[in-house]
Amino acid sequence: MSNLRFILFLLTLFFVHLLFYQYISMGEIFPDLFLVMVVYAGLIWGPEWGSLTGFFAGMAQDSFSFTYFGLHALAKVLVGFSIGKVRHSFFSGKPTVQIAIILAAKMVHDAVFYGIYLARTDESFWRQLLFVSAPAALYTAVLGVALFFLFRIHQKSRGW
Amino acid sequence: MSRFFLFLWEHRQSLLFLLLILLSLAAISLSGENRFNLARQINRTLITPFQMVVSKADYYLSLKQENERLRKNNFVLSLELYHLEQARQQNERLKALLDFSPATPIHFIASRVISGGIGERANVFIIDKGSRHGIRINLPVLVPEGLVGKIIETDPARSVVQLYTHQDFRVSAMPSGKTERGIAGSASGGRLYLFNIPLRTSITPGDLIVSSGMGGIFPKGIPIGEVADIEREREMGIKLRARLNPSVNLDKISELFVLADSAFVSPGAGILFETGDSLNLLWSDQ
């Protein structure tokens, strides 16, 4: 993939996320579409693009977090790189496999994020992971599979 | 030299990964002010232009629906206005009889939320009004239900609101109708508390906690939340803290008000109400 396409990919990602973020939340459960893009980049283009996408997407999210700047980027770089490294072992076109991959990626992402975020607080890490991250991961995974499908159609039509 | 570059090329994946991890860690370990400035810079350059487009599109799409609703409201409000005018005239007459001192006008700037942040625990809103509309740092932000937060950053056309769920947010507060004071703010995880309550307290579950007017930022009487339960503070143990159910549900806010200093507001700003030294008239704080 050329650099220009990568930048276009990121800009599309920004736009989609900013346009739909507030409309697709279900009460307290927010999907992480940026993570879907990171997983996608890792799966299709490997660890370099996975970690780069993770870094830029994370930094964009971090620009809203005036306290823990860099934490989203760290978690997403780890996820993007890891997915890219092991992609050949498990990647398949089956929606159930894709759901499982995104679900696992979101849980790992949140484990890293909240592991650091809640380290010096009295809030329960496991409670956060079980009652907030798990439902959000499931929701992100379902939306993610739909996005995967759209991206694949778009790529095939462009002959990428 | 060529072997060095060959080495770099062969290990580019791992090196890039390490570089990005180091950059992220460097960002996390930045000091408060540098971190804030960098976040602000990225936000301004990358995110704001998109948010403006999205916000404008959303605004125009909802315009027709809004117009219908406003037309209906207009009729009802016209009737109410007539009755209020009668009441105001009566109020003026009674105040003159009782020799009340003149009331101070408080201005507000109505704003729309452009974005509620896009990450975990962002705890900020970006709003569509900025310094050219009279908004300055530390101005209180609220909705009719109560306190939302305060302004922490302004540009000419937009501002950043620090929400009450932000871990750095603090406001001097008191139970409505009682004299004890504490500090309201968020503990870890955005949960709202009233801190620093003495062990012998008259505060009980169900009490409405309002801003006390101390501290010079928030006027007295803005509802913050209702006491859910009271427990000992974990670090000290010699004070109590009360867990609050917030008066304002931040998930449902799309429009809000910034209480402005009358010396700085633009001609477009409205006058919310008139009162002496508190917001009693607006929220009927006893």
Side-chain angles (χ1 to χ4, degrees):
Chain A
M1 188 174 58
S2 70
N3 289 344
L4 182 65
R5 280 178 183 168
F6 178 64
I7 291 166
L8 281 175
F9 169 69
L10 279 183
L11 289 177
T12 312
L13 176 157
F14 280 139
F15 197 72
V16 168
H17 198 107
L18 291 173
L19 192 63
F20 296 114
Y21 188 73
Q22 54 191 334
Y23 301 107
I24 54 181
S25 66
M26 290 172 67
E28 297 283 311
I29 303 171
F30 292 94
D32 191 344
L33 297 186
F34 277 14
L35 186 81
V36 174
M37 304 301 159
V38 174
V39 172
Y40 184 77
L43 283 174
I44 305 297
W45 299 303
E48 284 160 283
W49 291 110
S51 47
L52 268 175
T53 308
F55 183 73
F56 287 114
M59 276 294 175
Q61 284 183 297
D62 281 324
S63 71
F64 283 96
S65 170
F66 289 83
T67 312
Y68 287 93
F69 186 70
L71 203 46
H72 281 102
L74 178 73
K76 283 190 166 59
V77 168
L78 283 169
V79 168
F81 184 79
S82 311
I83 293 272
K85 271 286 182 195
V86 295
R87 63 184 169 143
H88 294 302
S89 323
F90 55 71
F91 185 50
S92 126
K94 287 182 184 170
T96 45
V97 176
Q98 292 175 351
I99 284 181
I101 293 170
I102 301 171
L103 200 112
K106 174 69 175 162
M107 292 308 286
V108 170
H109 172 276
D110 280 16
V112 173
F113 185 92
Y114 288 109
I116 297 171
Y117 186 93
L118 300 176
R120 289 188 175 182
T121 67
D122 54 6
E123 200 180 343
S124 165
F125 169 77
W126 294 110
R127 187 184 159 80
Q128 173 70 35
L129 222 56
L130 201 63
F131 294 109
V132 180
S133 297
L138 193 63
Y139 187 28
T140 303
V142 173
L143 277 181
V145 170
L147 277 176
F148 271 25
F149 184 67
L150 289 176
F151 272 112
R152 290 305 292 170
I153 290 175
H154 179 63
Q155 281 200 328
K156 278 179 185 168
S157 71
R158 298 282 302 267
W160 289 8
Chain B
M1 196 62 150
S2 61
R3 286 179 67 186
F4 174 68
F5 284 118
L6 194 65
F7 172 83
L8 287 184
W9 182 249
E10 279 175 356
H11 296 87
R12 64 186 187 282
Q13 280 183 2
S14 309
L15 289 171
L16 178 68
F17 173 67
L18 280 176
L19 177 72
L20 295 175
I21 290 289
L22 285 175
L23 282 174
S24 306
L25 289 172
I28 293 170
S29 60
L30 280 174
S31 69
E33 196 183 341
N34 290 332
R35 194 186 298 165
F36 182 84
N37 287 337
L38 192 56
R40 190 180 58 177
Q41 207 58 46
I42 292 175
N43 197 292
R44 268 185 195 167
T45 317
L46 287 178
I47 314 291
T48 307
F50 282 102
Q51 284 173 334
M52 286 297 196
V53 172
V54 171
S55 175
K56 288 274 184 234
D58 187 37
Y59 175 70
Y60 286 116
L61 284 174
S62 61
L63 216 55
K64 194 181 171 190
Q65 231 175 351
E66 184 78 356
N67 199 21
E68 285 287 313
R69 193 179 61 82
L70 288 174
R71 214 175 287 173
K72 284 176 192 165
N73 280 358
N74 191 30
F75 177 71
V76 178
L77 289 173
S78 301
L79 285 174
E80 281 184 13
L81 193 65
Y82 171 76
H83 292 295
L84 282 173
E85 179 57 24
Q86 299 295 316
R88 190 190 67 79
Q89 285 175 10
Q90 188 185 34
N91 189 23
E92 288 296 321
R93 285 195 299 273
L94 290 170
K95 276 203 289 191
L97 283 172
L98 292 168
D99 197 22
F100 263 34
S101 58
T104 316
I106 294 184
H107 290 82
F108 73 93
I109 300 166
S111 307
R112 294 175 66 243
V113 177
I114 300 174
S115 168
I118 54 173
E120 322 279 342
R121 317 252 174 149
N123 294 325
V124 291
F125 277 164
I126 315 289
I127 59 171
D128 68 344
K129 296 284 165 61
S131 54
R132 74 160 175 251
H133 304 98
I135 291 182
R136 291 176 301 116
I137 286 172
N138 276 341
L139 288 180
V141 180
L142 41 97
V143 289
E145 291 79 26
L147 185 69
V148 173
K150 67 173 182 177
I151 301 290
I152 54 167
E153 165 70 17
T154 59
D155 282 344
R158 68 190 262 288
S159 303
V160 179
V161 180
Q162 183 186 56
L163 304 177
Y164 66 71
T165 49
H166 197 287
Q167 65 174 28
D168 295 337
F169 182 85
R170 292 290 181 270
V171 50
S172 174
M174 58 194 285
S176 176
K178 294 178 181 173
T179 53
E180 291 163 283
R181 285 200 189 93
I183 305 288
S186 166
S188 57
R191 216 167 285 157
L192 194 59
Y193 286 93
L194 180 68
F195 297 104
N196 214 24
I197 307 170
L199 288 177
R200 288 184 181 181
T201 179
S202 63
I203 297 175
T204 51
D207 279 357
L208 177 68
I209 303 299
V210 297
S211 57
S212 72
M214 309 293 282
I217 294 179
F218 300 96
K220 186 180 175 187
I222 304 175
I224 298 169
E226 203 177 274
V227 175
D229 49 51
I230 301 170
E231 60 188 22
R232 275 179 187 263
E233 285 195 5
R234 295 194 182 180
E235 285 174 11
M236 307 275 280
I238 55 170
K239 293 274 186 181
L240 299 175
R241 68 177 187 180
R243 193 165 59 85
L244 306 181
N245 291 326
S247 299
V248 176
N249 181 354
L250 294 173
D251 292 336
K252 293 180 178 169
I253 294 179
S254 57
E255 279 144 5
L256 41 76
F257 302 111
V258 182
L259 286 194
D261 188 330
S262 37
F264 292 94
V265 290
S266 60
I271 297 173
L272 190 59
F273 56 93
E274 290 189 350
T275 180
D277 59 354
S278 74
L279 301 186
N280 290 355
L281 288 181
L282 185 59
W283 282 291
S284 64
D285 170 29
Q286 309 111 30

